[in-house]
Amino acid sequence: MTWPHKDLLDVTQLSRADALEILRAAKSFQEINSRPVKKVPILKGKSVILFFAEPSTRTKTSFDVAGKRLSADTFSLAKSGSSLVKGESLKDTVLTLQAMKPDGIVMRHNMSGAAQFIAERLDCAVINAGDGWHAHPTQALLDAFTLTERWGGLEGKTVLILGDVAHSRVARSNVHLLRLLGANVRLCGPRTLMPHAVKSWNVPVFNDLDEAVRGVDAVMCLRLQLERQQAGLLPDVREYSRRYCMNMPRLAKAAKNCVVLHPGPINRGWEIASDMADAPESLILDQVSSGVDVRMALLHLYLTRKERKE
Amino acid sequence: MSQADLVVRRAALAQAPQDYVDLFVAKGRVLGVFPSGSQAAPEGAKVVEAEGLLLLPSLTDVHVHLREPGQEWKETIATGLAAAAKGGFGSVMCMANTDPVNDQAPITETMLDKAARSHPRGPRLYPVGALTMGLEGKILAPMEELKTAGCKAFSNDGRPVSDSELFRRALEYASDLGVPVIDHCEDPWLAPATGINEGVVSARLGLRGNPDISEAIQAARDCLLAEYLNVPVHLAHISSKRSVDVIRAAKAKGAPVTAETCPHYLILTEEACEGYNTNAKVNPPLRTGEDRQALLAALEDGTIDALATDHAPHAAHEKETPFDEAPNGISGLETALSVTWELAARGELSVEALIRAWCQRPAEIFGLPLNRFQPGDPADFILFDPNARWKVTPQALLSKGKNTPLLGRELTGVVKALYVAGKHVS
Ligand SMILES: [Zn+2]
């Protein structure tokens, strides 16, 4: 199949067939990642810029590993300390990047819509590695891949997304993708951390975790940002964890074989109890491995798009 | 009776466009409007053939940002007034959030001087003085000095006054001088000026939204203060149904409140922000279809008195950023009449309400020249072709601000001529 998209900005761009194709491709790269020599020449001669205007060790490393295993040359550009971004407008940054003639740019940015902004101005592929509160498509895809690996498919499964939904790009992308792939989605968190218009998302919303967790097949914890407390959205972390920390007693109320996910980095004891994070039901480390598989699939699909068309 | 020095022949009045009239003007004032051909033009009078164009009083915009002094790359008084003239405005009131802020007479005088030099025939410019020094919301501005220099109103527009005690004292002080106060209604604690409505679109795009209650809560405060003090308050750029409800209730109780809304709230909704369209980023933000309907109804029944553009020009590079970084504002002087006339043509607003809101009420509220085509009225008028079409392109706009969500749209209605005090402006 010819990959129809120049950029990956949000999972909302993907059809069900597109999403399944990405998961299929990820599966084939998973095999490569289990070999003793984990390197293939698929993207030899291609250059990928990793432009992380907001710090992220995990996602950036994952993309870096994915690119290198496909033999692409990866270049990192961080916001801090780089003269490139010092007070410079995003438009000028884009023009600078364009002049370096990369084949692809992976971008993380603290402003919603930033990925679309640069994609509209660049000829090369743009992969959104998280923009503001808006979208984190590669995280959603790796979560879906992790769950597919566990279950064989998402059809008919129920996934609870737990925590700060309002400010979460992971939640926004997952709500859409999980439903696209046939899962039921629930949300749970304090009302201060839900979008005011959450009704328009047409998913059940709970504020009581013990009720929300009943019968679910997976719980997806979101990371809690400390500044939510300073912004007056929460009393304190202890109070939050009393109400919303995912732990073993709560897991017992979920469906049999319920699994727990977290996009990381985790705050042990806040969003997830320490023993929960280390339990066999925890897929946190599987998510990290899946991240490399999925990102290899994405780099492959988006960076070889033109050649395939010809 | 003096003799006409200007005669506009075969024009159509909006109320009865089928009957052509002749307008006679002497020394900048209306002499009379007569059935076409019933009076001979005196010798030596300038004769303008209107050929069936609509004859309307020129529009008054009580809320524009002209950016001079301080941000001339966005707009200057010269370019802003040129845009106003093109839009059919005979009078404009410019807000005080310049740099430096218009909080002392020399700034007001400079503005008036720039206007007189660049546009000696008009449009007429009426500066709005700062309500508080530097718009900082701490110390009252020297309002008598500003009034004497030419300010027609006071406002903290752009920096809403959330301190109710200070706002009360400002109203009391301004009322001594008989100068109206304009308030930008927004509780800045409830929502910083994020430029997008808190709703379905902001939830999907992952942007912090501004809830309509941030406007309505401060509007309610202002209505209560106006009633309590019996001092007029004019509420700027009202955007939501909730605020309309508040104003309607206050007016029913006799509170001396007046209000304006802007064309963009009547023709667009929050959906215009889709795709992170920074040209649709405005404060207060574009709201929902329900809000839009409520504003139209409020204009029709007079709950909202006036239309104003809140013309807020920005340079292209300032808007070419991610949504969060872009400044708020829409450039509106030149599209205002076209888009509101289209609403009237579609039957969403009556022509009577349109003329009342663009011409009559703003002039009445702020004591500005008003032309009802009665003998002695200032001869401020436009000749308008309601059927001519034009396309909104950066080149077509005289304002330096090309920041409008209407870019690329074809609009109906062109101002063919503007006259201020009987003089042809453009
Ligand atoms: Zn304002």
Side-chain angles (χ1 to χ4, degrees):
Chain A
M1 112 187 231
T2 307
W3 191 246
H5 309 284
K6 170 185 165 284
D7 312 295
L8 177 60
L9 306 178
D10 191 1
V11 286
T12 54
Q13 296 172 303
L14 303 175
S15 68
R16 193 181 147 89
D18 292 337
L20 291 172
E21 168 72 13
I22 292 168
L23 300 187
R24 248 194 312 275
K27 185 74 189 164
S28 66
F29 288 110
Q30 185 185 50
E31 187 271 319
I32 290 171
N33 285 328
S34 60
R35 292 179 195 170
V37 178
K38 303 172 182 61
K39 193 154 176 146
V40 289
I42 291 179
L43 295 183
K44 201 164 165 52
K46 302 271 184 193
S47 49
V48 180
I49 295 178
L50 307 178
F51 175 38
F52 280 64
E54 181 189 271
S56 150
T57 317
R58 178 174 299 245
T59 305
K60 192 171 148 192
T61 308
S62 178
F63 268 109
D64 202 9
V65 169
K68 289 195 162 94
R69 289 199 177 156
L70 296 172
S71 305
D73 298 311
T74 60
F75 303 90
S76 286
L77 210 65
K79 182 157 182 165
S80 54
S82 127
S83 65
L84 185 67
V85 201
K86 259 182 203 157
E88 186 179 64
S89 74
L90 189 55
K91 185 191 172 182
D92 286 323
T93 305
V94 172
L95 296 176
T96 308
L97 292 172
Q98 179 84 291
M100 296 178 195
K101 300 190 172 45
D103 298 289
I105 290 177
V106 175
M107 184 172 82
R108 159 75 53 98
H109 203 281
N110 61 330
M111 269 182 277
S112 299
Q116 179 181 328
F117 181 89
I118 77 159
E120 283 167 357
R121 290 162 178 81
L122 280 170
D123 301 328
C124 72
V126 173
I127 294 178
N128 182 7
D131 62 327
W133 303 346
H134 171 234
H136 198 343
T138 68
Q139 178 72 41
L141 286 160
L142 78 86
D143 289 338
F145 184 65
T146 309
L147 290 172
T148 306
E149 282 295 287
R150 176 59 68 113
W151 295 333
L154 303 188
E155 210 70 53
K157 299 285 187 182
T158 300
V159 180
L160 170 66
I161 300 178
L162 170 63
D164 182 0
V165 173
H167 310 98
S168 173
R169 51 191 173 222
V170 174
R172 273 182 186 76
S173 290
N174 264 307
V175 166
H176 183 88
L177 185 66
L178 292 169
R179 294 168 88 202
L180 183 70
L181 295 173
N184 304 308
V185 175
R186 293 179 186 181
L187 304 175
C188 179
R191 191 163 167 184
T192 50
L193 298 182
M194 288 290 158
H196 182 70
V198 71
K199 259 204 191 114
S200 64
W201 293 6
N202 294 315
V203 293
V205 179
F206 297 78
N207 58 49
D208 181 340
L209 176 54
D210 293 290
E211 201 186 311
V213 81
R214 238 173 249 146
V216 302
D217 301 293
V219 178
M220 194 174 272
C221 305
L222 301 172
R223 189 176 154 77
L224 183 69
Q225 310 281 333
L226 252 188
E227 64 260 28
R228 304 294 164 230
Q229 194 185 321
Q230 281 130 33
L233 297 172
L234 290 173
D236 65 7
V237 168
R238 185 167 153 271
E239 165 97 358
Y240 177 85
S241 64
R242 277 167 62 94
R243 295 183 69 193
Y244 299 110
C245 181
M246 190 58 202
N247 55 27
M248 298 306 284
R250 281 170 168 148
L251 186 71
K253 296 178 181 166
K256 200 164 173 281
N257 300 325
C258 175
V259 292
V260 176
L261 297 90
H262 191 299
I266 61 173
N267 295 304
R268 281 180 189 259
W270 292 11
E271 309 108 1
I272 187 163
S274 194
D275 59 344
M276 176 77 258
D278 300 329
E281 292 87 352
S282 162
L283 299 184
I284 296 172
L285 294 175
D286 302 62
Q287 288 173 279
V288 178
S289 313
S290 297
V292 176
D293 306 334
V294 165
R295 286 167 180 135
M296 286 170 81
L298 291 170
L299 288 175
H300 172 57
L301 285 168
Y302 283 87
L303 266 65
T304 61
R305 188 178 75 101
K306 278 193 193 139
E307 288 118 75
R308 288 163 148 224
K309 209 164 55 188
E310 279 148 21
Chain B
M1 188 170 138
S2 53
Q3 200 172 317
D5 47 38
L6 170 70
V7 176
V8 178
R9 278 208 298 221
R10 292 174 57 75
L13 288 172
Q15 294 79 358
Q18 64 283 1
D19 303 323
Y20 286 2
V21 296
D22 296 345
L23 167 70
F24 281 61
V25 174
K27 296 195 172 105
R29 297 200 170 262
V30 172
L31 266 183
V33 176
F34 310 103
S36 191
S38 66
Q39 308 261 336
E43 206 156 309
K46 185 175 185 315
V47 175
V48 175
E49 299 291 346
E51 302 293 353
L53 293 174
L54 279 180
L55 176 65
L56 297 171
S58 62
L59 283 54
T60 293
D61 192 342
V62 299
H63 195 135
V64 304
H65 298 269
L66 295 187
R67 309 302 188 199
E68 187 174 1
Q71 294 185 308
E72 289 83 356
W73 69 90
K74 292 177 194 272
E75 190 84 291
T76 62
I77 286 170
T79 57
L81 290 181
K86 184 151 178 266
F89 293 93
S91 300
V92 296
M93 287 176 31
C94 61
M95 288 295 156
N97 65 338
T98 46
D99 182 17
V101 165
N102 183 18
D103 58 11
Q104 46 185 307
I107 309 284
T108 309
E109 286 156 4
T110 302
M111 288 175 168
L112 291 170
D113 184 53
K114 294 256 181 187
R117 277 199 269 167
S118 67
H119 290 76
R121 294 174 163 228
R124 308 171 194 265
L125 182 72
Y126 298 102
V128 175
L131 193 64
T132 64
M133 287 305 291
L135 301 180
E136 283 175 0
K138 290 179 188 142
I139 301 164
L140 297 182
M143 295 189 217
E144 192 277 335
E145 172 188 326
L146 289 165
K147 177 193 174 179
T148 303
C151 288
K152 287 287 175 186
F154 301 114
S155 179
N156 234 59
D157 186 59
R159 303 269 304 272
V161 182
S162 55
D163 180 336
S164 299
E165 159 69 6
L166 183 76
F167 193 64
R168 172 212 169 134
R169 298 307 174 194
L171 287 178
E172 289 177 331
Y173 193 86
S175 79
D176 285 350
L177 303 169
V179 179
V181 170
I182 304 171
D183 195 26
H184 167 137
C185 293
E186 179 185 319
D187 179 337
W189 296 101
L190 206 42
T194 54
I196 186 168
N197 185 44
E198 178 172 77
V200 174
V201 179
S202 65
R204 184 168 58 237
L205 294 181
L207 294 168
R208 172 152 187 200
N210 168 301
D212 60 9
I213 53 165
S214 76
E215 176 181 89
I217 283 174
Q218 193 156 315
R221 178 200 73 172
D222 289 3
C223 287
L224 289 168
L225 280 170
E227 188 193 351
Y228 180 67
L229 303 170
N230 194 28
V231 167
V233 181
H234 180 76
L235 308 183
H237 44 57
I238 291 300
S239 69
S240 74
K241 174 179 190 301
R242 246 183 264 277
S243 303
V244 165
D245 293 344
V246 163
I247 296 162
R248 188 174 284 128
K251 283 191 165 186
K253 285 204 289 173
V257 191
T258 55
E260 77 198 26
T261 188
C262 312
H264 40 268
Y265 303 117
L266 302 177
I267 56 166
L268 297 168
T269 62
E270 59 184 354
E271 271 91 43
C273 298
E274 290 284 8
Y276 301 97
N277 181 7
T278 55
N279 277 334
K281 184 178 178 183
V282 63
N283 186 38
L286 301 169
R287 308 274 185 199
T288 67
E290 203 189 338
D291 293 301
R292 179 181 167 271
Q293 292 299 337
L295 292 168
L296 283 165
L299 265 177
E300 200 61 57
D301 72 14
T303 300
I304 289 192
D305 302 83
L307 279 161
T309 62
D310 192 10
H311 176 72
H314 294 291
H317 73 268
E318 295 168 315
K319 282 282 194 180
E320 199 180 354
T321 67
F323 198 87
D324 275 340
E325 275 192 341
N328 290 306
I330 291 174
S331 176
L333 281 167
E334 291 159 86
T335 54
L337 184 55
S338 300
V339 295
T340 47
W341 195 269
E342 282 183 41
L343 288 171
R346 284 206 302 268
E348 293 197 73
L349 197 62
S350 68
V351 171
E352 291 71 33
L354 198 74
I355 293 173
R356 184 175 71 221
W358 271 134
C359 312
Q360 182 193 332
R361 290 297 290 143
E364 286 172 353
I365 295 166
F366 295 99
L368 306 182
L370 172 57
N371 177 14
R372 297 169 193 261
F373 295 113
Q374 298 299 314
D377 283 353
D380 296 358
F381 63 91
I382 60 174
L383 293 173
F384 182 62
D385 183 345
N387 301 314
R389 297 184 68 77
W390 67 289
K391 195 167 176 188
V392 186
T393 61
Q395 300 73 33
L397 298 176
L398 298 181
S399 169
K400 285 193 183 183
K402 318 297 183 187
N403 51 304
T404 160
L406 300 172
L407 275 184
R409 272 222 213 161
E410 186 142 299
L411 302 182
T412 306
V414 171
V415 175
K416 295 288 186 185
L418 166 70
Y419 286 79
V420 173
K423 291 212 175 81
H424 181 249
V425 176
S426 69

